Amino acid sequence: MSASNSPLVSLQPSKHEKEEAAGYLRSLINKNFRVTTTDSRMFWGTFKCTDPESNIILQHTYEYRHPTAQQVANAASASARGGSNQESETKLKVDMTSRYLGLVVIPGKYITRIEVEEFLSQMPGRRVKALGVGEQQFGGRTPPSEDSVGVGDVS
């Protein structure tokens, strides 16, 4: 069987699919992203652009790191010294460390997860009443009562 008679489907996206993907990416510009990398760091910033290698540029970015084993051990020993409250013995809270980075490029090969932070007021079809109380258009259904829908996973 020759290559021209092959029943295989082309792996190249059509022009329509490329235009649709580009439009979707344009709709994400200036939205807040949470990007997790292979070393478990999390970057939170404003999406500015991407490239064919899936590198992402974020503006006004904060980096968050999970606590080290030493930080967890120190918090556990401090909690144990702090008192004999049964709840404190079963629950331990250790915050992530953060720092401001500004403009960053995250290499696509290290990205494991991308999340978009979006509020109802940022969604298409949103109407705002004169008193500032919002109303979402849901085709006759009752809108959610919270102002924030949280995070939508893009991965």
Side-chain angles (χ1 to χ4, degrees), residues 22 62 65 81 115 152:
Y62 287 86
R65 292 177 179 254
R81 285 192 309 262
E115 299 171 291

Side-chain angles (χ1 to χ4, degrees), residues 26-105:
R26 277 192 292 277
S27 75
L28 296 174
I29 292 176
N30 293 321
K31 302 260 175 132
N32 289 330
F33 272 28
R34 281 190 278 204
V35 179
T36 305
T37 56
T38 54
D39 60 358
S40 75
R41 289 184 292 167
M42 194 266 296
F43 297 89
W44 182 81
T46 305
F47 175 66
K48 287 299 173 185
C49 68
T50 187
D51 63 13
E53 287 80 38
S54 301
N55 301 317
I56 290 181
I57 296 181
L58 298 179
Q59 182 181 35
H60 306 299
T61 306
Y62 287 86
E63 173 195 44
Y64 295 89
R65 292 177 179 254
H66 290 282
T68 64
Q70 183 62 42
Q71 290 171 322
V72 172
N74 290 345
S77 64
S79 177
R81 285 192 309 262
S84 61
N85 184 352
Q86 191 174 14
E87 184 178 332
S88 67
E89 293 175 11
T90 59
K91 292 183 182 180
L92 180 65
K93 181 180 175 185
V94 183
D95 292 329
M96 295 177 80
T97 57
S98 68
R99 65 180 178 154
Y100 179 76
L101 299 176
L103 189 67
V104 298
V105 177

